[in-house]
Amino acid sequence: MEAEKEKGEAAPKFPAFPYKPYAIQIDFMNALYHSLNQGGLSMLESPTGTGKTLSIICSALQWVVDMRQQDKSKKQFETYNNSAQGGQYDSDDEPDWMRNAVINNDIEGEDKKSKKKDKFGIGYRRADKRKNQANCRDLFSQRVEEESCIKKEGKNLPMSSYALDLNDDGDFLLEEHESDKEGVPCAVKSKRKVTGVSLSSSSDEEDEAYGSSADEDEGEEKLKVYFCSRTHSQLSQFIKELRKTVFANEMKVVCLGSRKNFCINEEVLKLGNSTRINERCLELQKNKNKKVSKIKSLGAGERIRRNKASCGCPMLRKHKQQKEFKHMMSQLGALDIEDIVHQGRNMRCCPYYGSRSMVPAADLVILPYQSLLSKASRESLGLNLTNNIIIIDEAHNLADSLISMYDSKITLSQLEDVQCHIEKYFARFCNLLGPGNRRYIQTLTVLTQAFLRALLNEDTGYEGSCHDNEKASGENGMPISSVAINDFLFALNIDNINLVKLLQYIRESNIMHKISGYGAKVASFEKSLALDDGEERSTLSSFQALADFLLSLTNRDGDGRIIISRTKPTCSGKQGGYIKYVRLTGEKIFSEIVEQAHAVLLAGGTLQPIEETRERLFPWLPPNQLHFFSCSHIVPPESILPVAVARGPSGQPFDFSYSSRRSSIMIQELGRLVCNLVTVVPEGIVVFFSSFDYEGQVYNAWEASGILDRIKKKKRLFREPRKNTYVESVLKEYKETIDTLSSGERKENPSQSGAILLAVVGGKISEGINLSDGMGRCIVVVGLPYASPSDVELMERVKHIEGLGSSNSINTTNALRGNELYSGEAHEGFDILRSCRHRGKEYYENLCMKAVNQSIGRAIRHINDYAAILLVDTRYAADTSTRNFSHPTSKLPQWIKERFVASGDYGELHRMLHQFFSYNKRDGLSREL
């Protein structure tokens, strides 16, 4: 063993690792490297704080370097052999058929390379971008040839109304649609002459800005690594770790994000909402094109009225400057989102499209979940997964994250908005529209009216009377129905409508922009005011919501459920509500990714139980073909103290179950526990509650009883804000307080010795925030944070998962499902959970414990760190002999389970804490010396 270690140190396999790696880090990197060699699907589990991110970087990118070197050596060897033989293939050892095969393979290889360049080079990328940008949310994916046909004819290009004369409605008239022609990609034909106006899509602008340089980069597709995580802060942390290695400068790296995170146009950012920012961004680029077109037609004497909006986005005007911006970013190495935005502000160039333009040449693409896992987003960004590497970090809730991207929702107000605009449009243009357009518009009207009937409960056929619904409405006054797709369509009598053809028509005819543009113009004229383009964008959002929902209805009946939520009429007669499609299955979505890529790696701190993930995402994969690796923590056993706290200082048992957690007895006993903890725990304490509402209730009760004042005498108190934008500033002040008070610089209150932070399980602080050293000396989790059983969507997932994997899964699912009416009360959810025998109940418990594991994983971030972890509830402290797989502690990470203890009373807990912190304080001082 020693000889092997010395040999490993002399010739390390992962030379880019910036420090001397620990044994478990070497094991992790070797496992990842082996997984890439094997290809396929792998799950790699490494506890938070073990250097997982750095290990991923050094192993994955080293594999890419090695593969390229092998490729290069192979080509050099072949070239050498060919030159040594004078370019001849004559050999006595080779028969004629083999020599011919070699020559034919060379020719075929050149042909394939040429075709690949055509497919993945200039033509494919440009067409793909135009295709997806034509729709404001890049949702409906059609063949490149179809889109090219439309673009070449210069037809159906989106127009806004506010640069037109009020007496001219011709630009809102739909082109003739030959709906009866089957299999014709471009069934939209124009009767009217295009008067020299040539509008390009927003992605055409992008091509003009970045096209030529992008073309140079796309001569040949090369091996890429796609790394994705859930939040932008986690992506920034990845960049930070990447900069510690040589790969930051040796490889081309690009970080992608949303328009909301990248946009530097202050007028657009003021909109706040992501959907409106996206729409405004695309609209400004179209307006820019219109301005150019109108200027060209000035000589014809055409009447033009130019508004401020017609000038386009100023960040995309200077093409030369945009090329310089792209070149500069490629020279600066690995940049995170903040760096790219900073450079974009300095050069007055769009960071969003600048980063997108760098994807073809990149070796490593860093991006959020949505950009990679959503098929529409991948196509919009032009991401090619074929034979590439995909690494998905923080994959503990991957299944739920994936399927939630394919949910769709439309509200009552959006439906009313769409119907109103369709009626106005049809009344104006009915006599001018061809039979195809009239038929499709009438179909849209039928659908919107049917959905409105479902929400208003007017003769839908599958619900009881209004009186029954109101009676069953529960505390929140929102009766909620859950139905299957087919039942929903049959009940509304819309099952005979071809939704696929209708969606194709919406995509090709650009009807959403036509109707919303005309509606905005009419509204402006009626008010006799300057056009408020916000109204047009709002209507466009409503149309997009309808289109998304229609697309969801084309899924298989068992892939999801329809949730119909109604609110009771108010005194003013207003009625709200929504219809939502909830996706339940993810295997088909995920299989598309796995089949394209060379290897897909799921990484995380706690991935177990892996069987649930396998059944939900890749049930088609035999268990023996799934590569799984798990390692222990790097910290010694003395550095962690996980304890189940069953009783408080007064001997009161802790029971934070749904029925008793709000009792004043529980809240006051918890307060007495915290008052004692602040006297024995040094530096920082973080207390996690199950929800913001419960944290607020506890805080108010402590404030009224005087407990809060007792806590503040020892530690300064902070609370996690509900808005994520304020979290960073709170954490910064929390850390500064701990550093200041712990160093003895006590100014205001000499008795204070640190700080305490009240946080929420599932909030931003519990997900991906580093609470190392003094920021997290003690982590307290109050109760078991089970999700609310009144959550209808959650209960639908529970019922679906209960039916997975069993031989009678269809019967099980049907027994649990039906066209149900929920009242929004918790007892209905509990009834469903009690009816579950295994998988559904286990999924519900796993959700809870995954959230707990994420929260306690905020502490212990390096080998010299130490922390106590207190799980406060009698359910954590059940008799060890009675524990089974469903027991909460069985779902804790292995490195915590190995050291887990239960305290009999508070006195025992106090002694353990005192000894733990005394020992680690002395040990820390000795390490420093």
Side-chain angles (χ1 to χ4, degrees), residues 495-541:
D495 56 293
N496 59 338
I497 295 177
N498 189 330
L499 295 177
V500 175
K501 283 189 68 176
L502 177 62
L503 287 168
Q504 183 179 0
Y505 169 77
I506 293 173
R507 175 73 175 94
E508 292 179 350
S509 67
N510 200 32
I511 187 173
M512 294 192 299
H513 289 270
K514 298 280 188 178
I515 295 180
S516 59
Y518 176 74
K521 174 185 170 181
V522 171
S524 173
F525 180 72
E526 289 174 350
K527 295 176 183 177
S528 299
L529 298 171
L531 176 62
D532 179 10
D533 52 44
E535 181 172 349
E536 179 183 356
R537 290 196 302 276
S538 176
T539 303
L540 193 58
S541 298

Side-chain angles (χ1 to χ4, degrees), residues 48-51 237 240-241 244 633-635 639 682-686 688 731 734-736 738-739 742 755 757 765 768-779 854-868 917:
T48 303
T50 55
Q237 180 64 27
K240 183 179 178 182
E241 295 296 307
K244 296 178 182 178
H633 211 294
I634 57 176
V635 297
S639 297
E683 302 177 292
I685 301 176
V686 183
F688 284 102
L731 285 175
Y734 170 71
K735 184 179 187 306
E736 290 174 351
I738 291 172
D739 293 342
S742 301
L757 173 62
I765 290 177
I769 298 296
N770 187 338
L771 297 176
S772 63
D773 300 319
M775 293 182 72
R777 285 297 178 222
C778 182
I779 304 295
Q854 280 295 299
S855 300
I856 62 181
R858 299 311 94 215
I860 312 291
R861 309 296 294 189
H862 55 84
I863 194 170
N864 294 323
D865 206 352
Y866 62 94
F917 288 113

Side-chain angles (χ1 to χ4, degrees), residues 199-210:
L199 301 180
S200 62
S201 72
S202 61
S203 56
D204 290 332
E205 284 298 317
E206 181 188 344
D207 287 342
E208 289 180 28
Y210 303 108

Side-chain angles (χ1 to χ4, degrees), residues 548-750:
D548 291 345
F549 185 68
L550 293 176
L551 182 65
S552 298
L553 294 179
T554 64
N555 288 313
R556 293 183 306 174
D557 190 49
D559 285 349
R561 296 280 282 182
I562 304 297
I563 307 295
I564 306 172
S565 175
R566 307 176 185 87
T567 55
K568 294 165 68 176
T570 62
C571 297
S572 61
K574 284 271 188 181
Q575 184 164 4
Y578 61 84
I579 307 177
K580 183 174 183 178
Y581 171 78
V582 179
R583 181 89 183 196
L584 299 176
T585 61
E587 61 265 25
K588 182 180 178 182
I589 303 168
F590 194 65
S591 66
E592 292 180 357
I593 297 173
V594 176
E595 288 170 2
Q596 291 181 59
H598 165 71
V600 177
L601 308 180
L602 309 184
T606 307
L607 297 180
Q608 301 188 62
I610 62 173
E611 186 61 20
E612 177 201 311
T613 304
R614 191 190 71 80
E615 288 182 343
R616 295 185 66 192
L617 289 183
F618 37 92
W620 35 265
L621 184 71
N624 61 348
Q625 292 185 21
L626 174 65
H627 314 133
F628 179 75
F629 171 84
S630 180
C631 63
S632 60
H633 211 294
I634 57 176
V635 297
E638 302 81 20
S639 297
I640 179 173
L641 179 64
V643 184
V645 183
R647 295 179 180 272
S650 68
Q652 175 69 38
F654 282 123
D655 179 12
F656 292 98
S657 59
Y658 186 84
S659 59
S660 61
R661 66 185 180 187
R662 298 187 182 275
S663 73
S664 59
I665 296 175
M666 284 297 103
I667 293 176
Q668 295 305 314
E669 188 70 6
L670 177 63
R672 285 189 284 271
L673 172 66
V674 175
C675 285
N676 281 273
L677 291 179
V678 296
T679 63
V680 68
V681 177
E683 302 177 292
I685 301 176
V686 183
V687 183
F688 284 102
F689 294 89
S690 57
S691 67
F692 280 106
D693 289 339
Y694 187 55
E695 184 271 342
Q697 182 182 355
V698 170
Y699 183 89
N700 293 334
W702 287 355
E703 188 175 38
S705 64
I707 288 178
L708 214 57
D709 292 331
R710 292 170 57 190
I711 294 173
K712 290 180 178 178
K713 285 180 180 179
K714 287 295 182 181
K715 293 189 184 292
R716 187 177 172 187
L717 190 140
F718 295 85
R719 302 174 69 187
E720 178 177 4
R722 287 178 180 262
K723 288 189 176 181
N724 289 342
T725 51
Y726 300 136
V727 170
E728 187 175 345
S729 60
V730 170
L731 285 175
K732 182 180 179 182
E733 192 174 357
Y734 170 71
K735 184 179 187 306
E736 290 174 351
T737 300
I738 291 172
D739 293 342
T740 301
L741 295 177
S742 301
S743 63
E745 299 178 15
R746 299 165 185 164
K747 298 179 181 179
E748 297 179 5
N749 191 341

